[in-house]
Amino acid sequence: MTFDFKRMLKYERNVGDRDQNIRYGTGSLAIAVSLFLGSVPLLLLGIALLASGYTRFCPLYAGLGRTTAGSCCGGKAKAAQEGGHSCCGGDKPQAHQH
């Protein structure tokens, strides 16, 4: 498993809806507990989780080449190159012939 620092610096949406909700919940909980315990590292972790949920970008996921963002393209711009899908910002999907 390799970590790509160059990919980590590129902003590309890689946090899906479910992952975003988990980050919001966990980040809020970490902040609440940190305020109760007076723990600065836990507060910073909570803020980082809330920020990555809000921006829908996780630098660690990017560096590892992972994504939880589900799209019709599988998180890639492949469909935009092949005529596109509406969910990817490409052209309207063409009707399937049966």
Side-chain angles (χ1 to χ4, degrees):
M1 180 185 302
T2 61
F3 193 83
D4 186 4
F5 287 99
K6 289 180 183 178
R7 188 183 309 156
M8 183 181 79
L9 299 176
K10 290 183 180 179
Y11 177 81
E12 188 174 300
R13 181 178 162 180
N14 59 8
V15 173
D17 293 336
R18 185 172 183 218
D19 194 8
Q20 181 185 31
N21 291 333
I22 292 170
R23 287 171 188 266
Y24 281 155
T26 308
S28 299
L29 182 65
I31 289 174
V33 170
S34 74
L35 294 175
F36 180 71
L37 297 176
S39 172
V40 174
L42 195 56
L43 176 68
L44 295 175
L45 176 66
I47 292 171
L49 285 171
L50 286 178
S52 67
Y54 180 74
T55 61
R56 299 185 73 118
F57 172 71
C58 177
L60 294 176
Y61 279 3
L64 294 172
R66 300 202 54 193
T67 182
T68 58
S71 71
C72 60
C73 305
K76 299 178 184 171
K78 178 177 78 173
Q81 296 171 354
E82 297 175 355
H85 295 272
S86 60
C87 66
C88 303
D91 298 328
K92 292 182 180 179
Q94 298 174 355
H96 295 287
Q97 297 178 358
H98 296 283

